[in-house]
Amino acid sequence: MSDFHLEIDGNKVGVKEGETILEAAQQAGIYIPTLCHHEKLEPFGGCRMCIVEVESRGRTKLVVSCVYPAEAGLVVRTRSEKIDRIRKTILELLMAHAPDSPPLVALAKEYGANKDQFEKESSFCIHCGLCVRYCEEVKKNYAVGFVDRGVRKEISFIPEIAAKVCNDCKECFPLCPTSYLQATFVLTESLAFPTVP
Amino acid sequence: MDIDRIDQIIDRHQCEASSLIQILLDIQSENHWLSKEALTRVGEKLQVPFTRIQHIATFYKAFSLVPKGRHEVHICVGTACHVRGATRILDTVKDVTGIMPGETDMDLKFSLETVNCLGCCALGPVVEIDGKVHGKMSPGETADVLKNYE
Ligand code: SF4
Ligand code: FES
């Protein structure tokens, strides 16, 4: 049962009150690329990959589909020259940090992004927050969090908590687009609670 | 700083999680830094995860996770102070205290930071010590002022 309808790429799509454009699209089988979205987590809007064009009352604007609530009568376009250009630049910026990340490599192919466009700054983490938010929202373990800000922002495990819970969980590992999470965990483990072989 | 004092500060804010930043600021200004013990205690009492406290404590420049000196010296190196000789002032402070910007001396007497504008360019070069502004400073005057601090 849907409350109202909107149009995505020319298809009439039914949505329920409170759903985002991304959710509406996914239910209708329309693909929008995402990096920081996860169905079990609260909308985050961190990566901007899911940007789309919406038209309402004759005006077009760019919105972030994973946080933008669907409205009756919206006309949504998931691809256009402008959208593709924005996604390409986002990818190129992220690839300065994580040039070999499989999801980035796949999307780069689709959008013609050049991983060498910007000078490399191999910090690997792309700040999608999937690990931090999953640990918080789903597992309620709070074993990993962000520290610092801006270009120095990075993830950090709390050794006391990680020592107790992580080895039996590791559910965040497959979520990380870059393996940086695993690397950080192994480093924390070897420094703070090494397991004797 | 002992646990009782930290508890007093927390109680003064009714143990409210929404007062987290204010509590951290109070501890910072009294103790000059936030120790792991202090942060852990705050987390326990307010029921806030340590990850969140750590994020906040590392996000704002007002907080320090390493011990700071009893006196915080800020040297303005903004454009106006720079052209009026901030570099020489900074060199003097480095000589007198033996520390570089971002550092604290062994006796925990001074911590030194450079800042980019204190908002009083007409007074340049400006030195701020524990919140008190000293304007139109010369290297000699700067060295004299520093002698007044214990
Ligand atoms: S470590 Fe991985 S999952 Fe965590 S924020 Fe960084 S890129 Fe995302
Ligand atoms: S998926 Fe929407 S901003 Fe990341």
Side-chain angles (χ1 to χ4, degrees):
Chain A
M1 267 299 290
S2 51
D3 294 344
F4 50 83
H5 291 86
L6 49 73
E7 190 188 308
I8 306 179
D9 292 344
N11 306 297
K12 196 171 170 201
V13 173
V15 269
K16 282 202 247 354
E17 190 70 45
E19 281 178 344
T20 61
I21 293 181
L22 177 67
E23 283 163 342
Q26 284 177 340
Q27 276 153 31
I30 299 167
Y31 171 74
I32 298 176
T34 62
L35 286 169
C36 69
H37 176 79
H38 188 286
E39 55 184 13
K40 286 192 190 158
L41 303 177
E42 289 294 314
F44 185 58
C47 72
R48 302 328 227 197
M49 255 327 266
C50 65
I51 200 156
V52 295
E53 251 173 45
V54 302
E55 213 180 291
S56 74
R57 288 180 229 109
R59 297 175 65 175
T60 309
K61 58 180 176 179
L62 291 164
V63 302
V64 176
S65 65
C66 70
V67 292
Y68 197 89
E71 292 161 15
L74 276 188
V75 178
V76 180
R77 262 184 304 276
T78 66
R79 289 200 72 158
S80 71
E81 206 184 306
K82 192 166 185 186
I83 294 172
D84 284 13
R85 202 172 60 235
I86 292 171
R87 289 189 185 146
K88 173 168 174 263
T89 306
I90 293 173
L91 287 165
E92 287 174 343
L93 288 165
L94 292 178
M95 288 178 111
H97 297 281
D100 299 319
S101 150
L104 295 185
V105 170
L107 284 167
K109 213 168 148 211
E110 173 74 21
Y111 289 93
N114 168 14
K115 71 176 169 54
D116 299 317
Q117 180 67 26
F118 298 106
E119 200 184 322
K120 291 282 168 310
E121 162 86 48
S122 305
S123 55
F124 303 105
C125 177
I126 60 163
H127 299 161
C128 69
L130 285 172
C131 56
V132 171
R133 292 180 294 134
Y134 191 87
C135 194
E136 243 179 60
E137 293 175 31
V138 178
K139 305 300 292 188
K140 308 236 179 318
N141 277 331
Y142 308 99
V144 60
F146 279 119
V147 293
D148 223 316
R149 61 172 165 173
V151 289
R152 279 190 300 274
K153 182 173 175 181
E154 56 182 23
I155 57 157
S156 158
F157 279 90
I158 309 292
E160 292 83 352
I161 302 175
K164 279 195 222 119
V165 298
C166 290
N167 273 317
D168 296 327
C169 172
K170 294 189 178 171
E171 285 172 30
C172 59
F173 280 22
L175 303 181
C176 179
T178 78
S179 307
Y180 181 72
L181 171 65
Q182 287 93 316
T184 310
F185 176 74
V186 172
L187 188 64
T188 312
E189 184 182 39
S190 56
L191 287 171
F193 50 99
T195 33
V196 186
Chain B
M1 195 177 219
D2 57 22
I3 291 281
D4 291 342
R5 184 66 196 124
I6 293 167
D7 285 353
Q8 273 175 19
I9 293 179
I10 297 172
D11 291 338
R12 204 162 65 210
H13 293 277
Q14 285 84 42
C15 221
E16 285 276 357
S18 57
S19 303
L20 175 59
I21 293 183
Q22 207 50 51
I23 291 170
L24 296 182
L25 281 171
D26 285 0
I27 298 175
Q28 171 77 39
S29 70
E30 204 168 303
N31 197 39
H32 303 293
W33 72 295
L34 303 173
S35 65
K36 188 169 179 185
E37 291 68 34
L39 293 179
T40 309
R41 185 66 181 174
V42 172
E44 283 167 9
K45 295 269 283 184
L46 301 188
Q47 296 284 306
V48 174
F50 195 74
T51 41
R52 188 158 314 147
I53 297 193
Q54 192 176 256
H55 194 186
I56 290 170
T58 52
F59 189 92
Y60 295 103
K61 239 190 142 181
F63 299 126
S64 172
L65 297 183
V66 290
K68 284 264 173 146
R70 294 185 294 284
H71 306 293
E72 294 191 35
V73 184
H74 292 141
I75 312 288
C76 184
V77 293
T79 315
C81 288
H82 176 80
V83 296
R84 291 170 180 229
T87 319
R88 288 194 305 142
I89 306 290
L90 182 58
D91 287 343
T92 309
V93 179
K94 284 197 238 168
D95 278 351
V96 173
T97 59
I99 51 174
M100 303 290 278
E103 292 179 351
T104 299
D105 63 70
M106 296 276 269
D107 308 323
L108 296 184
K109 187 170 168 188
F110 290 116
S111 290
L112 177 59
E113 281 312 330
T114 56
V115 294
N116 289 322
C117 187
L118 288 167
C120 46
C121 304
L123 294 178
V126 175
V127 174
E128 189 198 68
I129 307 175
D130 296 340
K132 186 173 184 319
V133 173
H134 303 263
K136 299 211 162 66
M137 294 299 274
S138 69
E141 283 165 345
T142 307
D144 285 343
V145 167
L146 288 174
K147 284 195 198 110
N148 297 331
Y149 290 88
E150 264 320 302

